[in-house]
Amino acid sequence: MSEAKPAPEEPGSSLSGYRPARPSSDEAIDPGGGLRPHWRELFSKLEAIGDLELQRRWEHAQQDAASDGVTFNPHDADGEGARPWILDAIPFPLPERSWRVLSEGLAQRAMLLDHVLRDLLGPQVLLREKVLPPDVLFGSPAYHPSFHGLRPAGRRHLDLYAADVARGSNEGWYVTGDRTRTVSGLGYALENRVIASRMLSAVFRRSHVRRLAEFFSALKEMIRAQAPRSQDNPRVVLWTQGPTGTRYFEDAYLARYLGYTLVEGGDLAVRANRLHLKTLGGLQPVEVVLRRLDDGLCDPVELRADSQAGVSGLLEVLRARNVAVVNSPGSSLAEAPILLPFLRAACQRLLDADLKLPSIATWWCGQKKERTYVLEHLDDLIVRPAFSPATASVWRPDRMTSDERADLAAAIEARPASFVAQQAPVRSTTPVWNPQGVESWYLALRTFLVARDDAYVRMPGGLARVAPDAAALDHTMSSGERSQDVWILSEGPVDTASLLSPPGETIALRRGGAELPSRVADNLFWLGRAVEGAEGCARLLRTLLSTSAGEAPEAPELPYLLSALAQIEQIDKDDFAALGPADLTRIAAGVASALFDEGRSGSLRSRILEAQRVASLVRDRVSMDAWRIIQRLEEVSRKPRWRVGSYESLRTVELVLQELAAFAGMVGESMTRAPSWRFLDLGRRIARAWHTARLLSATLVPVVKDERAVFEAVLATADSLMTYRSRYLATLQAAPVIDLLLTDDTNPRSIGHQLAVVVDHVGELPRDDTKATLGPEQRVALSLQNAVRLADAVEMSRIEGSPGRRAGLERLLQRLAEQLPRLSDALSSRFLTHAGLPRHLASALEPPGS
């Protein structure tokens, strides 16, 4: 009988040693000092995973989030870029019974704020009866008379609502702030759920966590019901401020998830008192706008004249009931902190009920008694602007110098109506993952509600933010060091919900693409150009770096490769004018430096950053796999921390080319052959033709005594050396090289092939079929294709003059260099005029910023 093997050792866990700093107000610890039942169950499931495995999963989850580009763009005072969004390994669980009590209070609060908005922008009973002070409306910088009459009488103003809540020392929830303008956080809550359900898949399934899809289904139903005309399948757009806005990642993420077109102000236009989307196929009417920018930016005619993101005439279209906007402009009035002290009285007056969910204790300094109290207790309070909670500063007198406190008190005395004071939020703590020992951090919770019929549907979840310093959570949604997925634990089996159409619903089959917004087509075109520009640069660099690392004592092709690099602005040729083939090491070092130099507009690194930037402008149109490739491109092209030599540079270029090949494969095999694909591929083909023409001009037009090394370098750069050898073996001559790279349209790297594809794309773009003549872009494309087709490679290879040059080849390549930018301009004029000022191909092929 064999000896029994010992049982495997149980995985260790740091969860069992959780000891919060403040047990009396901790989410996981009950008043008796023990774990609450739902936390005990969660800890048990996480302990079964073990510390090492949980840490590994968490690290992979952060890598996935970074690859997906999950960021928040704070655009701080220094104008620096985005910071990553960090999801904690431990979720925040809440039993359904506890959640029900909280959500009922939130639903009442949403109803109350909607009634407040209806009254302020309608009969103003609350002002006449002095339930609210006049400053709530007429003292608000956000108020504008144009907000009146934008919604039909009796219609809801607040369709989407969020509240920031905290749990105090008495274990009761209270509201620290309302969000009624453009509700932020929905996309991050959704992304948290996606990542957490993958990271903790088995735990998630066994915990009976309520799904978020039911909330988003209600959101789509509400938006569809807003349509003034076609409610079956209305055209809905998600209106973003654009890449400069702090919410751009979330806007693109939500647009993709909900299936809405992501638009900026420049994509929209008012014609005949209707709102339209500018597309390749013309203007398309819009029924509903999911608004993600501030009230004052919506219409530069009636609101802020300096708004670059708005649509002129939008408010007039709203008054005509020809479009619906969610939330209606003017809704930001309800999120001002000045309202908080008066909500109990407003609830009694409007709903004839007590306020179920209290607000944080707030004193408006516009009242004498309250102002006196604030000034006497200044060190015990925090101070906020009375009208702008989302972006306002928070002053903490207890952390100020005496002079700073005196200045703040003087400002309150001078402009009392502009300030409110609040009790410093008391927040509960919650477990946060740390493999050395789980820590307790302070918690802020954002909850979301959407209107349906005469009630509000609550998201069974939310957005939890945690930080070791409670004060860090008193600012905007971006504050806090981590986020947690919020799990509402169902008391029974979880209903599955989906945004997909019901199984029995018939959907009309269709093909399309002409509805592509002109701005998107423009950015896809330049994304193709940027990616192909990076590839052309990388291929040339690889050839040059391989030459410098080879065994040959001399490299006759080197001056011509350097000339080609100079023609595409990769280097300054004058920097290498005094160097010859014997200076390979110095040349390689100079080229390596130029490769990584972000300050050099033509460097490979700059071109890749430009591709990443343009791709970020069309996040909702780029697949997640393609986006991850672009993110990896940015990573592998970073300057190495160690010494930069020819080997490190060559290695970087090889990695870049691998990722570029992956991107090309993704585009070729995953994009439908709609106008979006055609514009991206047009950018690639025109850029490749331009780069190849520049390469041939620098290397094949001038003639040297022994050109074999030059021919081989050119073929290698154009990825055509293997094809050449299969046809002509080891014999290298000018005519076959010119034929393969210029006129042979069966070679996917030749100029002839690029022009053939361009002609095909241009012919398939949307146009007026009643016109019998060719468009300017068709004429230019066909002219260039015919010129290349009619070129005789043997004649092109003839040498003329002294010093010898291939004059016929030079003339044709010069024509291509001049006409390809005109083709780009013709395409912009015909299809992309809605996108803004046209960009010139030559300047675009030069690196960004030149």
Side-chain angles (χ1 to χ4, degrees), residues 176-415:
T176 62
D178 301 289
R179 298 295 176 261
T180 61
R181 176 178 39 175
T182 55
V183 176
S184 300
L186 282 172
Y188 293 101
L190 180 60
E191 176 69 4
N192 281 355
R193 176 56 53 85
V194 171
I195 295 176
S197 61
R198 291 194 305 232
M199 178 174 58
L200 304 171
S201 55
V203 178
F204 180 83
R205 288 194 302 270
R206 295 198 303 268
S207 298
H208 301 294
V209 180
R210 291 273 302 275
R211 305 300 194 260
L212 302 184
E214 57 187 274
F215 172 84
F216 287 100
S217 294
L219 174 61
K220 294 196 71 171
E221 290 174 13
M222 179 274 291
I223 290 174
R224 184 166 56 246
Q226 298 281 330
R229 290 178 175 79
S230 173
Q231 293 189 356
D232 292 335
N233 189 24
R235 185 181 302 279
V236 181
V237 298
L238 193 150
W239 187 8
T240 177
Q241 189 173 341
T244 59
T246 59
R247 295 179 285 264
Y248 186 67
F249 163 78
E250 184 180 28
D251 295 346
Y253 190 88
L254 281 176
R256 183 195 300 274
Y257 180 73
L258 297 172
Y260 298 152
T261 302
L262 185 69
V263 301
E264 298 176 23
D267 299 327
L268 302 171
V270 172
R271 300 288 187 274
N273 217 18
R274 293 284 306 275
L275 184 67
H276 293 84
L277 174 65
K278 304 171 185 176
T279 74
L280 296 176
L283 298 176
Q284 302 292 332
V286 173
E287 296 280 330
V288 186
V289 177
L290 179 55
R291 176 172 66 97
R292 302 283 293 174
L293 70 164
D294 295 345
D295 291 355
L297 300 176
C298 290
D299 187 342
V301 173
E302 297 194 42
L303 301 175
R304 283 181 49 179
D306 62 341
S307 172
Q308 299 294 318
V311 179
S312 299
L314 174 65
L315 296 192
E316 194 59 39
V317 180
L318 270 170
R319 295 189 190 97
R321 316 296 182 233
N322 287 333
V323 73
V325 176
V326 177
N327 283 327
S328 177
S331 59
S332 62
L333 293 168
E335 68 180 23
I338 189 177
L339 265 179
L340 297 179
F342 308 102
L343 282 183
R344 286 188 180 276
C347 190
Q348 285 287 348
R349 176 62 182 84
L350 296 175
L351 302 183
D352 192 24
D354 292 332
L355 188 64
K356 294 181 180 180
L357 195 62
S359 307
I360 187 172
T362 304
W363 296 264
W364 177 47
C365 296
Q367 297 168 295
K368 183 177 180 180
K369 179 181 177 182
E370 283 73 9
R371 181 170 65 256
T372 300
Y373 175 85
V374 168
L375 293 174
E376 290 177 352
H377 299 81
L378 199 58
D379 286 352
D380 301 324
L381 304 172
I382 63 173
V383 179
R384 294 179 183 271
F387 299 101
S388 51
T391 58
S393 301
V394 178
W395 296 284
R396 303 187 67 91
D398 61 329
R399 300 185 180 184
M400 291 180 171
T401 65
S402 57
D403 288 343
E404 290 171 337
R405 282 195 299 273
D407 290 343
L408 177 60
I412 293 174
E413 290 278 17
R415 296 177 288 109

Side-chain angles (χ1 to χ4, degrees), residues 654-836:
E654 294 284 5
L655 293 174
V656 164
L657 287 172
Q658 290 176 20
E659 298 300 336
L660 288 169
F663 183 84
M666 186 63 61
V667 169
E669 297 299 324
S670 298
M671 290 188 72
T672 56
R673 275 24 182 184
S676 56
W677 168 74
R678 292 192 183 279
F679 274 98
L680 191 149
D681 202 50
L682 268 171
R684 292 181 62 226
R685 300 300 176 177
I686 294 176
R688 183 177 292 180
W690 190 87
H691 272 273
T692 305
R694 290 296 190 188
L695 173 67
L696 299 185
S697 178
T699 55
L700 298 187
V701 169
V703 180
V704 295
K705 183 176 181 180
D706 186 358
E707 294 186 294
R708 288 175 297 177
V710 175
F711 293 158
E712 186 167 348
V714 172
L715 290 168
T717 302
D719 197 22
S720 299
L721 184 59
M722 184 168 58
T723 302
Y724 185 95
R725 286 176 173 169
S726 68
R727 292 182 183 179
Y728 306 107
L729 302 179
T731 304
L732 289 166
Q733 294 182 2
V737 173
I738 293 172
D739 173 63
L740 184 60
L741 300 183
L742 179 64
T743 59
D744 184 359
D745 57 13
T746 67
N747 178 15
R749 291 285 169 180
S750 74
I751 294 176
H753 180 82
Q754 313 316 311
L755 294 174
V757 175
V758 167
V759 169
D760 178 67
H761 284 331
V762 169
E764 294 296 327
L765 293 178
R767 63 184 68 255
D768 186 353
D769 293 333
T770 63
K771 292 186 177 180
T773 58
L774 297 175
E777 72 285 349
Q778 289 176 296
R779 290 197 295 271
V780 175
L782 284 170
S783 172
L784 291 177
Q785 184 189 31
N786 290 335
V788 171
R789 278 183 170 178
L790 293 173
D792 186 330
V794 175
E795 289 296 323
M796 293 287 115
S797 67
R798 296 190 185 279
I799 301 171
E800 301 178 20
S802 179
R805 298 180 68 83
R806 296 185 173 92
L809 177 62
E810 185 175 23
R811 287 190 293 270
L812 178 57
L813 294 175
Q814 183 61 34
R815 179 180 176 183
L816 288 167
E818 293 173 354
Q819 292 295 315
L820 284 170
R822 294 181 184 176
L823 173 59
S824 176
D825 289 345
L827 284 167
S828 295
S829 299
R830 172 66 179 82
F831 298 102
L832 308 177
T833 51
H834 297 149

Side-chain angles (χ1 to χ4, degrees), residues 74 101 161 179 226 494 604 747:
V101 174
Y161 167 68
R179 298 295 176 261
Q226 298 281 330
V494 177
L604 178 61
N747 178 15

